[in-house]
Amino acid sequence: MMLDLTQLRTALPGALRKLDPRLLLATPVLLVVELGAVLTTVLSILDPSTLGWMVTVWLWLTVLFGNLAESVAEGRGKAQAASLRALQTETTARRLTGGKPDGEGAQEEQVPSTTLRTGDLVVVEAGERIPGDGEVVQGVASVDESAVTGESAPVIRESGGDRSAVTGGTTVLSDRIVVRITSEPGQSFVDRMIGLVEGSERQRTPNEIALSVLLGSLTVVFAAVVVSLYFVADYSNAPQSVLVLTALLVCLIPTTIGALLSAIGIAGMDRLVRRNVLAMSGRAVEAAGDVDVLLLDKTGTITLGNRQATELLALEGVDPDELAQAALLSSLADETPEGRSVVTLVAGEGTVPAVPAGAELVEFSATTRMSGVDVDGRQVRKGAASAVTAWVGRSDPGLDALVQQVSSTGGTPLVVAEDGRLLGVIHLKDVVKPGMRERFVEMRALGIRTVMITGDNAVTAHAIAEEAGVDDVLAEATPEDKLALIRKEQEGGRMVAMCGDGTNDAPALAQADVGVAMNTGTVAAKEAGNMVDLDSDPTKLIEVVEIGKQLLITRGALTTFSIANDVAKYFAILPAMFVVAFPQLEVLNVMRLASPESAIVSAVVFNALVIVALIPLALRGVGYSPGSAQALLRRNLLVYGLGGLVTPFLGIKLIDLVVSTLPGL
């Protein structure tokens, strides 16, 4: 990825503003370079020379290029923030007042979306924009979330289950829903995304702070060395010693990584946002790079969340079509996701049969644990095995065998009966999300152990775990059990990530080093985690881990390169500075640079240009592939250590060939 002119034009004003010394206090290395540029500017004014002005110009360009790296990284985020801000245009909301908690029987009034508060109910119909973050409390609709997630395919949002969360600024494509607002104005997920991608809420992470301290320490050490060399230069009557020593200081301090450090961190956050993961802090991104244990909640994370009807099992002597029609009739009054899945299984996707004329619907209740219909003298019921057999007044060995067959695989059996006659069983099961097994294989390759945690019984839990391909299971888990497991893993020195979507996951999400909440989950879960996956895809953690590792590897690689390329600058500037007084130092001029003046200018020019050359790599990140730490270290030392050693020798020599042709050098 190369920088284009549009990016540079957009970033340049920000880079110029960052020349303010007060802003450079956060980047001590660049502050030293700017102070050096000020000093050489004064010296060049007092004693003009081609060497002086060349060094001065390129020192100022070094500061500018360093600021440019951060400004380009911020600019990419601001461009994305601009598109997100388009979602925040004020809309007219249809607020409901009075009536039931789900809005039934309420009066409708039109108000500006900015006046909505947490708990307000609004109605949104096809073609209208959802005025704020919330949860669907009534209805089901197709919603276009492409403006937030980037996915063009619409998604279904409905009351109940794990698909009730909606994001302000998205558009309803069909039907009608009632939404309960869950955020105050200015505190929505879009607002938080804008703040994060613009960098206004970005804080430096512990690793970044530690590296800044290291770079600052190296700067102090090199400054002490250069000051001591001043007395040698003064004793040997070296020409323009202050100017040359300033150039030497700038070339020896770690300007490359000092200039790119902030850009690397901003770019890491930006790469995460571009994958539709909202990280609340850079610390979470770094921690993701070291994760070795992943805990996943089953319902809504590994599975689709709502149990789905997958097959109908007829008793011996019962026509399967008769069972199917009875299951369909008994589910027409069942508005639960499970009931709707029975209708889908029998009637087909998108087909909702009309309720027969004169039918009396029997809605599901916790007391009867059955639903059904009375029509044309027929009574059809569907529900829990014990409830239906009690309604019929008898059981059946064949039915007991089918119930046991479904239960042994972790499924839930629903028994269907008509007019006192048992017909068969509906097999409800937690459906594992597509591609889970393959993604867990990838996680093992990254060295991550996966643990599924669920409140289900051990039989159901192990059946789902086997199908999904996770490494371990914690069944019948309470929120306290999840918390205890995370703490146990952390006490063993492991970094733990947790994926969840429910309120009961909130304590574990808060305790985990990386807590990834699903966007379709509850408000409590999203507030507890330090990341939110807008796509609600738990396997996204693989990309999160890779981005975290890429961030850490990029910092390490460019730090190695920055320190290694100082060696060539020694061979360029020191012989050039002292060769007149000590001709024996000519042997160190291994690059055979044309003159002392061209050697100094070439080193300063290379020091500035290498920052620009590395900006694309800092923004893209060093390529990462699963492997051992030893292999990664060996690769970095060979590529960036050896590369950082060789590249400056070639670069300085090529620049010298050009610079030496200029008058006065």
Side-chain angles (χ1 to χ4, degrees), residues 355-379:
V355 178
E360 182 180 345
L361 300 178
V362 179
E363 296 184 2
F364 175 86
S365 73
T367 303
T368 64
R369 294 188 298 159
M370 293 188 300
S371 65
V373 63
D374 295 341
V375 57
D376 297 332
R378 301 165 57 196
Q379 291 184 317

Side-chain angles (χ1 to χ4, degrees), residues 116 149 205 214 245 293 311 449 488 491 494:
L116 295 175
T149 67
T205 63
L214 172 63
L245 286 172
V293 178
E311 61 178 333
R449 181 169 63 90
K488 178 182 176 182
E491 288 169 2
R494 287 174 284 274

Side-chain angles (χ1 to χ4, degrees), residues 44-362:
S44 297
I45 292 173
L46 297 176
D47 185 15
S49 68
T50 302
L51 174 63
W53 284 115
M54 287 286 287
V55 169
T56 296
V57 169
W58 281 98
L59 289 188
W60 280 113
L61 287 176
T62 301
V63 185
L64 183 64
F65 292 161
N67 291 337
L68 190 66
E70 183 175 20
S71 189
V72 169
E74 291 175 347
R76 295 170 69 193
K78 289 177 181 177
Q80 187 176 11
S83 64
L84 289 171
R85 203 171 264 118
L87 295 174
Q88 294 188 306
T89 54
E90 184 174 299
T91 59
T92 300
R94 298 163 59 186
R95 183 168 62 187
L96 301 178
T97 58
K100 297 182 180 179
D102 62 359
E104 186 177 343
Q107 299 295 315
E108 182 180 313
E109 61 177 350
Q110 295 191 346
V111 298
S113 59
T114 52
T115 64
L116 295 175
R117 294 294 181 268
T118 301
D120 285 349
L121 295 178
V122 295
V123 59
V124 190
E125 295 186 350
E128 296 178 347
R129 179 174 288 184
I130 297 174
D133 292 354
E135 295 179 332
V136 180
V137 296
Q138 184 186 82
V140 55
S142 175
V143 179
D144 177 9
E145 295 185 342
S146 59
V148 175
T149 67
E151 295 294 331
S152 58
V155 295
I156 300 298
R157 292 291 178 254
E158 59 187 336
S159 59
D162 70 337
R163 298 186 294 181
S164 62
V166 290
T167 304
T170 57
T171 304
V172 173
L173 298 179
S174 67
D175 302 295
R176 174 186 185 274
I177 52 176
V178 176
V179 176
R180 179 183 293 113
I181 300 298
T182 57
S183 66
E184 296 290 324
Q187 298 177 4
S188 69
F189 271 105
V190 171
D191 290 310
R192 292 161 75 178
M193 285 182 70
I194 290 172
L196 285 165
V197 298
E198 287 187 328
S200 60
E201 296 182 15
R202 181 181 173 272
Q203 297 180 346
R204 294 198 302 167
T205 63
N207 282 345
E208 193 173 346
I209 293 171
L211 189 52
S212 296
V213 171
L214 172 63
L215 300 181
S217 301
L218 289 174
T219 301
V220 171
V221 170
F222 283 123
V225 170
V226 169
V227 169
S228 67
L229 285 175
Y230 170 77
F231 299 102
V232 179
D234 184 59
Y235 173 78
S236 61
N237 294 316
Q240 297 181 293
S241 57
V242 175
L243 179 74
V244 175
L245 286 172
T246 302
L248 177 63
L249 174 61
V250 170
C251 288
L252 294 186
I253 62 177
T255 50
T256 305
I257 184 61
L260 298 174
L261 182 59
S262 181
I264 293 170
I266 295 172
M269 296 280 288
D270 179 62
R271 283 194 296 275
L272 202 62
V273 171
R274 288 173 186 271
R275 286 163 176 78
N276 293 331
V277 178
L278 178 61
M280 306 306 174
S281 69
R283 182 192 296 264
V285 184
E286 283 188 349
D290 293 323
V291 163
D292 41 28
V293 178
L294 168 62
L295 275 59
L296 302 103
D297 179 56
K298 175 184 73 69
T299 305
T301 304
I302 291 179
T303 65
L304 293 176
N306 299 317
R307 293 171 301 172
Q308 304 286 307
T310 58
E311 61 178 333
L312 302 177
L313 304 172
L315 283 171
E316 186 176 352
V318 175
D319 185 348
D321 289 338
E322 181 184 4
L323 171 61
Q325 290 304 312
L328 177 62
L329 281 172
S330 62
S331 299
L332 292 178
D334 187 355
E335 288 300 319
T336 65
E338 291 85 354
R340 290 196 289 267
S341 76
V342 176
V343 176
T344 300
L345 177 66
V346 177
E349 189 72 38
T351 303
V352 181
V355 178
E360 182 180 345
L361 300 178
V362 179

